[in-house]
Amino acid sequence: MMLRVRVIDDSVPTIRSLTLAADDGRRLPGFVPGSHVVIDAGGRSNAYSLTGDGIAPSEYRISVLRVDGGHGGSRWIHDMLGPGDTVTVSLPRSAFAPVARARRHVLIAGGIGVTPILSHLRSARRWNREVRVFYTHRPGVGAHLDEMTELAGGDLAVFTSREEFCAALDVELARQPFGTHLYACGPAGMIDRVHAAASAAYWPASRVHVERFGIDALDAGEPFRVHLRESQRTIDVPSGTSMLEALERNGIAIRNRCRQGVCGECVTPVSAGVPTHRDLYLSDEDKNSGAVIMPCVSRAACDTTLEVPR
């Protein structure tokens, strides 16, 4: 879709919030809470969570944290995009939807990871589901704090101290009734801490749902090779180069969008070898099977040649 930037909000330092709509004002495709869209950000494709209500939306809203490293998509949105400009936006998709049968939800947001959590909170209020919300952020950089407070009221706890957040998290997870589902989005360190707290409180893994907000800085990785079974070609993947980039440089096209291990567009079958998964899209079952890989971010295990049926 080609959508136009209607509103830009830069009121929170380092975070730019955009409202996107169609020129003719038509309704946009609906979406489930936790969905994201992929945006063409100056020649780069980035995935961003939708923060609005997915029921018959007339606009999409996203918030983008400025990241000075990486491949520059967020810098383009912050520095180059203005009101009235148009952007190419994919259809919404989700790998982080709420479980409809759950009556109670615990929502945990870290930093810019508040964006899909805000969408979850809107849905919980719309359908009168019990909800408890934890939001931790750096002082002065709390995106959507007013909206979260308005929607959650006394069910929201806000933290700017890691120690206070961790202490409150342990207590909260230990006292939740059976059947509660937990959803967390944020940086890897926070997600790891949530997993540890849930495990200590004996939460079943099936009730813990997480989404790391984008790929954290990844190490360059060891070099490896990819063998193309059908064409009988072998491609070297150097350290610091993704499998996707190496294949593209050798004329092998792989469908892709976000190039961040989020959207799932580039998922590729693996017929031999052991992948090292670094994506945020595949389920644990998919990863344990070793039958697929996200070549935009994942690599081969040490001393392994991956074989793909191409």
Side-chain angles (χ1 to χ4, degrees):
M1 298 174 286
M2 289 296 296
L3 300 182
R4 195 169 299 276
V5 179
R6 296 299 187 194
V7 179
I8 291 181
D9 181 355
D10 291 323
S11 59
V12 179
T14 73
I15 296 173
R16 167 164 279 199
S17 297
L18 307 178
T19 299
L20 311 172
D23 281 339
D24 59 5
R26 70 182 183 278
R27 286 184 177 177
L28 302 178
F31 56 90
V32 298
S35 293
H36 65 266
V37 292
V38 177
I39 292 180
D40 182 352
R44 299 284 188 171
S45 295
N46 281 23
Y48 298 109
S49 294
L50 295 165
T51 65
D53 192 329
I55 306 297
S58 60
E59 60 188 28
Y60 288 161
R61 291 191 287 161
I62 63 170
S63 291
V64 180
L65 174 68
R66 183 185 180 96
V67 180
D68 288 324
H71 59 51
S74 72
R75 296 198 307 272
W76 182 85
I77 287 176
H78 275 256
D79 296 341
M80 306 300 295
L81 204 59
D85 290 341
T86 58
V87 289
T88 303
V89 182
S90 74
L91 294 175
R93 62 176 65 186
S94 178
F96 189 54
V99 176
R101 67 179 180 276
R103 293 184 56 236
R104 183 169 176 82
H105 303 259
V106 174
L107 309 177
I108 302 174
I112 196 61
V114 70
T115 50
I117 295 300
L118 176 55
S119 177
H120 274 255
L121 177 57
R122 293 187 197 281
S123 176
R125 288 309 191 211
R126 173 183 283 274
W127 300 109
N128 296 317
R129 297 188 178 109
E130 294 181 15
V131 66
R132 177 68 167 152
V133 188
F134 274 27
Y135 182 15
T136 177
H137 61 83
R138 291 183 290 115
V141 194
H144 301 288
L145 190 53
D146 289 345
E147 289 176 275
M148 295 285 283
T149 301
E150 182 180 353
L151 285 166
D155 294 317
L156 171 67
V158 180
F159 304 89
T160 56
S161 162
R162 174 183 174 85
E163 292 74 19
E164 292 178 2
F165 165 75
C166 291
L169 177 68
D170 291 340
V171 173
E172 189 69 30
L173 297 192
R175 68 185 185 187
Q176 289 301 316
F178 184 79
T180 303
H181 280 250
L182 181 156
Y183 310 83
C185 182
M190 189 205 79
I191 295 298
D192 292 343
R193 183 63 180 80
V194 168
H195 272 302
S199 178
Y202 302 102
W203 281 62
S206 61
R207 292 195 285 131
V208 179
H209 317 275
V210 302
E211 182 173 78
R212 290 171 171 83
F213 199 86
I215 290 290
D216 294 327
L218 296 172
D219 62 79
E222 296 297 322
F224 66 99
R225 290 183 171 183
V226 180
H227 180 67
L228 310 180
R229 188 180 64 196
E230 295 174 9
S231 58
Q232 288 298 301
R233 298 175 61 190
T234 298
I235 307 297
D236 290 317
V237 182
S239 176
T241 299
S242 72
M243 176 177 162
L244 176 61
E245 291 168 336
L247 293 173
E248 288 177 332
R249 291 174 185 176
N250 284 272
I252 301 157
I254 302 286
R255 290 182 57 182
N256 68 90
R257 286 187 178 177
C258 74
R259 304 177 83 95
Q260 300 175 76
V262 175
C263 75
E265 190 73 15
C266 69
V267 64
T268 300
V270 173
S271 50
V274 181
T276 296
H277 298 287
R278 310 202 294 185
D279 67 272
L280 309 179
Y281 179 81
L282 296 177
S283 67
D284 289 340
E285 182 179 358
D286 289 334
K287 292 177 180 179
N288 292 335
S289 74
V292 291
I293 190 172
M294 300 282 288
C296 62
V297 293
S298 297
R299 306 182 70 80
C302 185
D303 298 324
T304 298
T305 297
L306 290 182
E307 182 178 88
V308 299
R310 295 182 67 89

